[in-house]
Amino acid sequence: MKQLFPGVYRHNGRLFTVNLTPGKRVYNERLMTVDGVEYRSWNPYRSKMAAALLKGLKKFPVKEHSRILYLGVSSGTTASHFSDIATRGFIYGVDVAFRPMKRFVALCGERHNMTPIMADAGRPEKYRPMVDAVDLIYQDISQKSQVAIFLKNMEVFEAPEGIIMIKARSIDVALPPKKVFDTVKKEIGKHYTIEDERRLDPQAKDHICLAVKR
Ligand SMILES: C[S@@+](CC[C@H](N)C(=O)[O-])C[C@H]1O[C@@H](n2cnc3c(N)ncnc32)[C@H](O)[C@@H]1O
């Protein structure tokens, strides 16, 4: 096991995190024990964050003490790996859909460092009172208004760092993805410094990951 970032490991071209709840799988991922430590395989086809890391993302702001507002948490596939890493931090997982949220609520029951918030991420004023200061906003929402949602939350929570996974086709199906990404980068670049960017093909087609700083 080679450490890629604190809490993130690489072995034979695959990524792993240390399982916070040994013996338990979240999405049927592979478990592997090395020197008495149980690791969970982090699947880049199921998690855009893993895809971005495998693509060489240099900025990875999820750390042991990170406090993260996660927009579009769904059933918690990626959030579970953040929870493995941020063992002394906290993750607020926001999603608007009932079905995946139900699974995320159950997952939060097993992990001490996550809580669910069922809400529309486009209306951060609704959940602002439930969220303490955060170090990072992570967003993975495939909606036309995804950039506006991200900027609004970054502003409301005054987050120092942000990661957004952008799906070009949700913004404009007719335009080539590169054109969409250029427009998005220009818009986000007006407010924040884009520190790193990675196209996520082939694991996530027509997606880009942007890591930004205030
Ligand atoms: C691609 S999935 C997220 C997958 C997840 N991030 C992962 O890696 O495990 C996108 C999620 O965004 C949620 N979503 C879409 N619009 C939303 C909104 N306005 N507010 C909150 N969640 C939203 C959907 O319900 C869906 O669960």
Side-chain angles (χ1 to χ4, degrees):
M1 280 286 170
K2 190 178 161 226
Q3 185 167 272
L4 192 63
F5 290 99
V8 182
Y9 302 85
R10 199 175 174 150
H11 179 70
N12 284 347
R14 289 165 181 257
L15 292 182
F16 292 85
T17 55
V18 175
N19 196 354
L20 185 72
T21 54
K24 289 188 178 165
R25 288 182 171 83
V26 176
Y27 57 104
N28 211 23
E29 69 280 17
R30 183 177 156 202
L31 302 180
M32 192 167 97
T33 301
V34 180
D35 295 333
V37 178
E38 188 177 278
Y39 296 85
R40 297 169 56 229
S41 172
W42 194 355
N43 186 339
Y45 287 91
R46 300 286 303 275
S47 168
K48 291 166 199 112
M49 190 71 251
L53 288 169
L54 285 173
K55 284 284 178 129
L57 192 80
K58 297 266 181 301
K59 279 289 295 177
F60 184 60
V62 179
K63 302 191 174 80
E64 188 186 358
H65 290 91
S66 294
R67 299 181 57 82
I68 305 162
L69 176 62
Y70 191 133
L71 308 174
V73 75
S74 190
S75 54
T77 300
T78 299
S80 69
H81 290 284
F82 288 178
S83 154
D84 283 348
I85 300 161
T87 51
R88 290 164 188 265
F90 204 76
I91 301 148
Y92 299 92
V94 178
D95 208 289
V96 78
F98 178 75
R99 202 183 279 252
M101 247 302 157
K102 212 173 145 190
R103 286 179 54 198
F104 184 63
V105 169
L107 188 64
C108 289
E110 296 173 358
R111 291 173 171 258
H112 68 269
N113 57 354
M114 300 201 295
T115 198
I117 298 176
M118 194 162 164
D120 175 359
R123 304 193 66 191
E125 65 281 2
K126 292 273 180 198
Y127 48 88
R128 177 74 197 90
M130 293 170 229
V131 179
D132 287 337
V134 292
D135 312 305
L136 171 71
I137 289 181
Y138 178 89
Q139 181 178 306
D140 178 14
I141 288 179
S142 15
Q143 283 233 350
K144 194 169 175 59
S145 57
Q146 56 194 287
V147 173
I149 291 174
F150 180 69
L151 292 174
K152 197 168 178 184
N153 278 270
M154 285 292 287
E155 194 186 311
V156 167
F157 293 95
E158 297 177 357
E161 293 189 83
I163 292 184
I164 179 169
M165 301 297 177
I166 293 154
K167 184 177 181 181
R169 302 205 170 275
S170 299
I171 295 175
D172 194 324
V173 269
L175 276 183
K178 189 183 174 311
K179 280 232 159 97
V180 176
F181 297 147
D182 285 347
T183 311
V184 165
K185 284 193 282 181
K186 215 166 157 186
E187 179 59 24
I188 292 179
K190 281 184 202 159
H191 310 271
Y192 303 99
T193 308
I194 298 173
E195 294 201 300
D196 204 341
E197 60 176 86
R198 302 286 150 166
R199 287 287 297 259
L200 303 180
D201 308 82
Q203 288 97 342
K205 197 170 176 294
D206 299 333
H207 280 74
I208 197 170
C209 166
L210 299 180
V212 314
K213 204 175 177 115
R214 185 168 288 276

